[in-house]
């Protein structure tokens, strides 16, 4: 009943507003109020267009000077990273150039050809030459970008397995990651989500009868040797996830029911990345903010925030549920000796079963 009365009241309110609008229109009918813009109106709007153009350019310059991080992207830590960065920079430069020119022409033409009494606009019903020019230029530019992008993608995805890359499985589930190494034979055992047995601690559904699975190693932290090609095999247990490693310029969807893959060669260790000037400044700035925020927490009797230290991260780049934001895994890039020492400390699959 309450809902019905609410609907009735809303209907009456809408009818009242409609009637008031009609009364207002009738009251204004006798007033001489032309909706046709005068020369003065057009001149004001023309100057406003040029003013807005100047505003756009000034804001752009200020943003570049104050917050710009040129050359846009420069902290890649994989062998193919510079190729991705170059493609991104070329695309951004072209977009910025076209945006600058077209915005200038748009606003300048609005100023130069503003409406004036007795002035008739010159126009072309059609012009094959002009249409050819403004069609062929975007075609050439886009074709060049697409061909360059495809070549870059083919070079990245063409993992040469004759180089004996390290085989690692990335296993995604709401809302965490697991890494599985192929062990001494560098061969992953067969797996299927239907084989998951929590009681046996077989959390990834690995085939317990597969000889290649016995020396597999499951971890919650991803360690990679620097300079060694890595081929990732990716699975998802539940929904669509996306394995995203920003510093390595790597991303690939993890699709339930199928295996996807992506490969790269890490070129910068975690320790080396921590020592780069840009990263030192970034960490210092973050810790400065954390110190300020900790003051309020301590005043409330809460624990202060711990200092931030840079680590490579594996993130999920698909919105996969309510805790998607927290789905991440630490990546450690280290020397081959450090990696060998770490992998020896890990428990093999056959020794981890209950």
């Amino acid at each position: 009943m309450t809902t019905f009365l609410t609907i009735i009241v809303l209907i009456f309110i809408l009818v009242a507003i409609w009637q008031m609008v009609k009364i207002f229109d009738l009251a204004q009918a006798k007033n001489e109020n032309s909706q046709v813009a005068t020369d003065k109106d057009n001149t004001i709007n023309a100057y406003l267009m040029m003013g807005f153009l100047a505003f756009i350019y000034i804001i752009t310059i200020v943003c570049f000077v104050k917050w710009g991080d040129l050359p846009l992207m420069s902290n890649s830590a994989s062998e193919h990273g510079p190729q991705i960065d170059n493609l991104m920079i070329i695309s951004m430069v072209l977009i910025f150039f076209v945006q600058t020119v077209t915005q200038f022409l748009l606003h300048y033409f609005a100023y130069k050809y503003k409406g004036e009494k007795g002035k008739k606009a010159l126009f072309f019903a059609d012009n094959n030459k002009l249409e050819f020019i403004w069609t062929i230029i975007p075609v050439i530019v886009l074709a060049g970008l697409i061909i360059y992008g495809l070549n870059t993608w083919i070079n990245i995805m063409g993992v040469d397995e004759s180089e004996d890359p390290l085989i690692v499985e990335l296993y995604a589930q709401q809302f965490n990651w697991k890494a599985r190494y192929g062990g001494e034979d560098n061969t992953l055992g067969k797996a299927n989500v239907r084989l998951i047995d929590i009681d046996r601690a077989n959390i990834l559904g690995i085939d317990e009868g597969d000889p290649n699975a016995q020396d597999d190693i499951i971890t919650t932290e991803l360690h990679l040797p620097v300079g060694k090609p890595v081929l990732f095999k990716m699975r998802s247990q539940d929904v669509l996830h996306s394995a995203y490693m920003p510093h390595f310029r790597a991303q690939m969807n993890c699709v339930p029911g199928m295996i996807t893959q992506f490969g790269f060669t890490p070129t910068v260790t975690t320790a080396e990345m921590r020592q780069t000037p840009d990263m030192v400044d970034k960490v210092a700035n973050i810790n400065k903010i954390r110190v300020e925020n900790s003051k309020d927490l301590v005043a409330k009797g809460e624990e202060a925030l711990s200092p931030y230290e840079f680590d490579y991260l594996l993130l999920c780049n698909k919105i996969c549920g309510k805790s998607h934001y927290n789905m991440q895994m630490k990546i450690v890039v280290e020397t081959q000796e450090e990696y060998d020492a770490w992998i020896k400390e890990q428990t093999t699959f056959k020794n981890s079963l209950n």
Side-chain angles (χ1 to χ4, degrees):
M1 188 65 180
T2 303
T3 304
F4 176 73
L5 291 174
T6 302
I7 294 173
I8 294 297
V9 169
L10 289 174
I11 291 174
F12 279 127
I13 291 174
L14 291 173
V15 171
I17 293 174
W18 178 55
Q19 292 294 334
M20 290 173 65
V21 170
K22 287 183 65 177
I23 293 171
F24 179 79
D25 289 341
L26 290 172
Q28 294 294 317
K30 295 182 180 180
N31 297 333
E32 293 183 3
N33 184 21
S34 175
Q35 298 298 315
V36 179
T38 63
D39 286 356
K40 181 180 179 182
D41 295 331
N42 291 329
T43 300
I44 292 173
N45 283 321
Y47 281 113
L48 286 175
M49 290 292 280
M50 293 304 293
F52 188 68
L53 177 64
F55 171 77
I56 292 174
Y57 286 165
I58 290 171
I59 286 295
T60 301
I61 294 170
V62 169
C63 289
F64 265 114
V65 172
K66 193 168 183 179
W67 296 291
D69 185 16
L70 298 175
L72 298 179
M73 304 171 73
S74 59
N75 60 355
S76 64
S78 64
E79 199 172 80
H80 73 264
Q83 299 178 54
I84 296 291
D85 292 353
N86 287 339
L87 182 60
M88 182 71 176
I89 290 169
I90 291 172
S91 299
M92 291 299 293
V93 168
L94 284 173
I95 291 170
F96 184 77
F97 173 76
V98 172
Q99 167 77 358
T100 302
V101 172
T102 54
Q103 287 298 319
F104 172 78
L105 293 175
L106 174 68
H107 290 79
Y108 176 71
F109 281 10
Y111 167 79
K112 182 173 177 61
Y113 301 107
K114 58 185 178 290
E116 292 178 356
K117 192 172 182 179
K119 185 177 180 180
K120 186 176 180 180
L122 174 66
F123 66 92
F124 299 97
D126 73 280
N127 188 307
N128 293 336
K129 184 178 180 180
L130 282 176
E131 291 175 9
F132 176 80
I133 291 172
W134 69 51
T135 300
I136 197 65
I137 292 176
V139 167
I140 294 173
V141 173
L142 289 175
L145 278 177
I146 292 170
I147 292 171
Y148 179 41
L150 283 175
N151 286 332
T152 302
W153 179 250
I154 291 169
N155 291 335
I156 293 170
M157 295 302 293
V159 178
D160 187 1
E161 299 197 29
S162 65
E163 296 180 0
D164 190 28
L166 176 67
I167 307 297
V168 181
E169 179 184 72
L170 295 178
Y171 186 83
Q173 65 182 120
Q174 295 174 312
F175 296 96
N176 63 73
W177 296 95
K178 297 288 189 301
R180 178 163 65 109
Y181 294 81
E184 292 185 6
D185 60 2
N186 197 31
T187 303
L188 294 169
K190 296 177 182 178
N192 192 301
V193 292
R194 295 181 177 86
L195 299 177
I196 292 175
D197 188 345
I198 301 300
D199 294 334
R200 292 273 294 162
N202 187 354
I203 57 176
L204 303 189
I206 300 172
D207 186 350
E208 298 178 23
D210 186 352
N212 290 325
Q214 304 310 307
D215 63 346
D216 286 1
I217 295 171
I218 302 171
T219 68
T220 56
E221 191 172 271
L222 182 59
H223 283 241
L224 304 174
V226 68
K228 172 79 172 176
V230 184
L231 179 60
F232 292 99
K233 304 287 186 176
M234 304 176 188
R235 286 194 299 145
S236 173
Q237 176 176 306
D238 35 49
V239 299
L240 184 66
H241 299 278
S242 187
Y244 177 45
M245 293 167 272
H247 286 90
F248 304 104
R249 308 297 191 258
Q251 178 172 322
M252 180 58 67
N253 287 346
C254 305
V255 185
M258 67 181 296
I259 297 174
T260 54
Q261 69 176 37
F262 195 100
F264 64 81
T265 302
T267 56
V268 183
T269 66
T270 300
E272 290 170 342
M273 183 61 78
R274 287 174 178 170
Q275 297 305 314
T276 59
D278 288 345
M279 193 56 66
V280 170
D281 292 342
K282 179 180 178 180
V283 171
N285 185 53
I286 291 174
N287 282 326
K288 182 180 178 182
I289 296 172
R290 291 173 78 89
V291 168
E292 291 299 318
N293 292 340
S294 292
K295 293 178 181 178
D296 295 333
L297 294 174
V298 172
K300 296 176 184 178
E302 300 178 18
E303 187 177 350
L305 299 172
S306 58
Y308 168 75
E309 185 176 48
F310 169 80
D311 280 306
Y312 293 122
L313 291 174
L314 165 62
L315 307 169
C316 179
N317 208 23
K318 285 283 186 294
I319 300 177
C320 56
K322 62 182 180 181
S323 293
H324 155 76
Y325 69 95
N326 203 33
M327 185 173 169
Q328 58 186 9
M329 181 165 66
K330 178 180 175 181
I331 303 175
V332 179
V333 180
E334 55 202 354
T335 64
Q336 185 67 53
E337 293 75 18
E338 291 170 328
Y339 170 79
D340 291 339
W342 172 82
I343 203 73
K344 286 179 181 178
E345 297 174 354
Q346 308 308 309
T347 305
T348 60
F349 171 67
K350 67 178 179 180
N351 293 326
S352 68
L353 294 174
N354 293 331

